[in-house]
Amino acid sequence: MESPFLLPFDITDHDFHFGSSTSGSQGLSDSDEERELRKLTKAERRKRRRATPKYRNLHATRERVRVESFNNAFAALRSLLPTLPVEKKLSKIEILRISIAYIKYLDHILTVY
């Protein structure tokens, strides 16, 4: 008796392993690998995707761009602060604290005059 449903595999084939204890997907065909991926939870699929070298390289590139942008923003803020000497190297927290004090000072000048 022939099944009215089309299955992506032959149900008489007993070589597929459900819940196998192998850690990788070596030796699996594309359809076996897809089936194995479908069994994984969303978190497991995300973890597996993030483990690829391509993903890590893209993530590292995005992080470098983000940090560079962050540092450029601090440099721009630093250039607006009046300090002596002008070229004195300030940490990020010092830049933020001086910025807060300078904004308060400017606000005080505006309210007094």
Side-chain angles (χ1 to χ4, degrees):
M1 176 186 237
E2 209 171 297
S3 171
F5 302 106
L6 296 176
L7 300 175
F9 53 89
D10 181 7
I11 59 172
T12 60
D13 181 12
H14 301 287
D15 290 337
F16 50 85
H17 306 280
F18 294 105
S20 83
S21 62
T22 59
S23 60
S25 60
Q26 293 84 5
L28 297 177
S29 70
D30 285 343
S31 62
D32 290 340
E33 191 170 331
E34 288 172 8
R35 230 178 286 127
E36 182 180 320
L37 286 175
R38 272 185 263 144
K39 288 186 229 172
L40 300 174
T41 66
K42 188 174 184 178
E44 290 169 327
R45 284 193 305 268
R46 185 182 319 116
K47 184 177 180 181
R48 189 175 281 194
R49 182 181 67 241
R50 289 179 177 173
T52 63
K54 180 181 176 183
Y55 182 89
R56 285 194 308 269
N57 288 337
L58 288 172
H59 180 73
T61 302
R62 284 191 305 268
E63 181 65 9
R64 274 192 300 276
V65 169
R66 187 192 69 81
V67 168
E68 184 180 345
S69 173
F70 189 74
N71 288 337
N72 289 340
F74 268 99
L77 180 59
R78 169 66 181 95
S79 69
L80 301 172
L81 299 176
T83 58
L84 290 174
V86 176
E87 297 302 319
K88 182 179 185 228
K89 176 73 174 145
L90 298 173
S91 70
K92 289 179 175 105
I93 191 68
E94 289 173 323
I95 291 171
L96 292 174
R97 287 181 177 149
I98 293 170
S99 297
I100 291 167
Y102 188 51
I103 290 168
K104 287 179 180 178
Y105 167 75
L106 292 174
D107 183 52
H108 175 72
I109 288 177
L110 288 174
T111 57
V112 170
Y113 297 106

